Amino acid sequence: MKPLSDIIIIDLTHMLSGPYAGMVLADMGARTIKVEPPKNGELTRALLANDPKNSLNGMGAYFLTLNRNKESVCIDLKLQEGKQLFYDLVKKADVVISNFSPGVTKRLNIHYDDLSKINPSIVTCTITGFGETGPEFNRPAFDMVAQGYGGGMTITGQPEMPPTRAGIPIGDLGGGMFAAIGILGALNARTSTGKGQHVEISMQDCQISLLNYMATMYFLSGEIPGPIGNSHFVHVPYNTFPTKDRWIIIAVIKDDAWLRFLEVVQIPEFEEKKYHTQPYRLAEKDFIEEKLSAKLKTNTCDHWLDLLTEARVPCAPVNDFKHALEDNQALARNMIVDVQHPEGGSIKMPGNPIKMSGTPAEDFAPPPLLGQNTNMVLNELLGLDQEEINKLRNDGIIG
């Protein structure tokens, strides 16, 4: 039994932010039903689908990952009969989630204002670039647009270099994570009020939220921060350093960690007592980093990791994908899982990071073929028999 096994979600999402939110909830057991256009399905089905290196049986990496544990129903929402069928599903659902451009759900009459009249307990969630209110809510948005407006790009990368986006699409993924949190909050509120509500997620809002204490620092000091690479504005040494083979992270924050660090690196210049406290280390950051880099290059990353770990000095390798996805700790926590393709074969992908003691079940159903579950969903949720379903299909309302 999974924690959300009593929840039914209608997933109208495409691309990344919305499907990611749906994936998080589906992994926790919500019955997540993708409602897709009959002919080609949602846009992500086509991404990498014909790339032999990044697809399996005609299904690309995007769709394989983001739509595991989901079902697919094909309904033409542009037809009035299709819209009515969708409304009938809403009566049985708990959540409707979408990430269309601003205004689309209102134009299609599938916004909370419309759906709450059909089902007062429904929770709806929209993810857009800039929300549904404000003077510029209709700006077009994708991941890097959200990152650009959010401020984080200006503190990412090396000084004197162009602004750098996060390597992972944090604009999209941040929107998806906050959407999942918002939906869970609305479902919890419903237990006491009996009523649903609308959850509105702006990708820009999420990026601003993620600035967190650094935004507060700006308001306190009035100083606009810039990029400092992988180093820290307070702690030294706190950076990435080259070794004989790979890069290593060393993060000395407390003075007692500095003393343990000295026992490992054995650099005579660092023995001066002035370096035993943070202000002096920060004042001579460049000198410390230069000497340390030279020393670390004399041996391998694993050599230094073993010594630093034994001395309880915070450290880590800078893992490439191969090392990260083969890490013993990640494997032990089921963070790399095999997911089947509905037509055979399987693919490895990241697992579910949410581990729960009371409902620990973890399994991953294949992503659906287009319209694979149409008959089952319409029969189970709406009670339609095969003759009624065949008529809908013959009339082009479902696929």
Side-chain angles (χ1 to χ4, degrees):
M1 194 75 168
K2 293 186 178 183
L4 297 180
S5 59
D6 60 337
I7 298 298
I8 297 175
I9 296 175
I10 297 179
D11 183 339
L12 296 172
T13 66
H14 62 286
M15 296 303 289
L16 185 50
S17 62
Y20 186 72
M23 184 202 79
V24 170
L25 299 170
D27 283 354
M28 290 192 287
R31 183 175 186 179
T32 305
I33 301 167
K34 291 184 68 66
V35 174
E36 305 184 65
K39 290 185 179 180
N40 298 313
E42 65 113 322
L43 294 173
T44 318
R45 281 190 180 272
L47 288 178
L48 302 176
N50 298 315
D51 183 335
K53 294 190 299 182
N54 294 294
S55 65
L56 176 64
N57 296 339
M59 194 175 282
Y62 278 80
F63 196 88
L64 281 166
T65 309
L66 294 162
N67 294 288
R68 65 195 188 196
N69 289 328
K70 298 182 183 180
E71 302 171 23
S72 173
V73 171
C74 288
I75 300 177
D76 191 341
L77 296 181
K78 295 180 180 178
L79 299 176
Q80 188 55 43
E81 297 91 335
K83 187 75 64 64
Q84 186 56 54
L85 200 60
F86 172 76
Y87 289 157
D88 290 342
L89 287 175
V90 170
K91 295 176 184 177
K92 304 292 185 178
D94 298 283
V95 179
V96 176
I97 180 172
S98 65
N99 63 320
F100 299 118
S101 299
V104 170
T105 56
K106 291 184 178 180
R107 188 164 64 249
L108 292 176
N109 300 121
I110 56 174
H111 194 267
Y112 176 73
D113 295 340
D114 306 291
L115 303 186
S116 61
K117 296 174 184 175
I118 300 167
N119 179 357
S121 66
I122 197 73
V123 170
T124 62
C125 177
T126 56
I127 308 169
T128 60
F130 300 94
E132 298 178 305
T133 61
E136 298 182 60
F137 74 95
N138 59 352
R139 294 168 176 163
F142 289 98
D143 172 75
M144 192 158 70
V145 173
Q147 289 196 41
Y149 271 106
M153 284 180 64
T154 63
I155 56 171
T156 305
Q158 299 294 333
E160 310 303 325
M161 295 295 288
T164 304
R165 69 173 178 85
I168 59 173
I170 193 65
D172 277 325
L173 297 179
M177 286 189 286
F178 278 105
I181 294 168
I183 288 168
L184 292 174
L187 289 172
N188 184 65
R190 191 180 68 174
T191 62
S192 58
T193 67
K195 294 182 179 180
Q197 60 183 293
H198 181 52
V199 178
E200 182 198 349
I201 300 295
S202 154
M203 290 162 60
Q204 182 189 27
D205 290 356
C206 297
Q207 295 304 293
I208 296 292
S209 174
L210 293 174
L211 294 180
N212 202 263
Y213 71 90
M214 300 188 76
T216 306
M217 290 172 62
Y218 161 73
F219 286 121
L220 288 169
S221 69
E223 298 175 358
I224 299 175
I228 55 174
N230 296 320
S231 67
H232 200 278
F233 56 89
V234 173
H235 304 298
V236 177
Y238 188 114
N239 211 331
T240 52
F241 301 93
T243 69
K244 202 170 187 177
D245 49 4
R246 296 194 285 153
W247 287 75
I248 191 171
I249 295 165
I250 297 176
V252 172
I253 295 177
K254 296 182 178 181
D255 291 338
D256 60 344
W258 169 260
L259 297 177
R260 297 194 302 273
F261 166 76
L262 293 183
E263 296 175 5
V264 173
V265 295
Q266 298 289 309
I267 299 175
E269 293 89 338
F270 290 177
E271 297 293 340
E272 290 190 51
K273 287 188 177 180
K274 68 177 183 179
Y275 294 130
H276 291 187
T277 57
Q278 177 272 335
Y280 287 97
R281 294 197 297 273
L282 182 61
E284 299 194 33
K285 174 182 175 182
D286 291 343
F287 171 77
I288 290 174
E289 290 188 343
E290 180 182 354
K291 287 290 184 181
L292 180 56
S293 293
K295 182 61 179 265
L296 293 173
K297 287 178 183 177
T298 65
N299 220 313
T300 65
C301 179
D302 286 341
H303 168 82
W304 294 116
L305 284 173
D306 288 344
L307 294 178
L308 291 164
T309 300
E310 185 178 356
R312 294 181 294 112
V313 175
C315 60
V318 180
N319 279 339
D320 56 22
F321 274 40
K322 175 178 172 59
H323 285 89
L325 300 176
E326 294 177 356
D327 182 78
N328 287 335
Q329 180 67 9
L331 295 175
R333 290 180 58 80
N334 202 35
M335 279 310 301
I336 307 300
V337 298
D338 282 299
V339 175
Q340 300 295 312
H341 187 284
E343 294 182 322
S346 67
I347 185 68
K348 291 184 183 299
M349 61 181 67
N352 179 8
I354 302 169
K355 310 299 183 182
M356 305 182 74
S357 64
T359 49
E362 285 194 340
D363 54 74
F364 300 89
L369 299 173
L370 181 60
Q372 178 179 339
N373 311 103
T374 302
N375 287 19
M376 178 181 69
V377 169
L378 295 184
N379 173 256
E380 290 182 359
L381 294 187
L382 303 186
L384 300 184
D385 60 28
Q386 192 60 52
E387 183 178 348
E388 292 171 306
I389 293 171
N390 289 341
K391 184 178 187 309
L392 290 169
R393 185 166 284 113
N394 293 334
D395 291 343
I397 299 165
I398 64 172

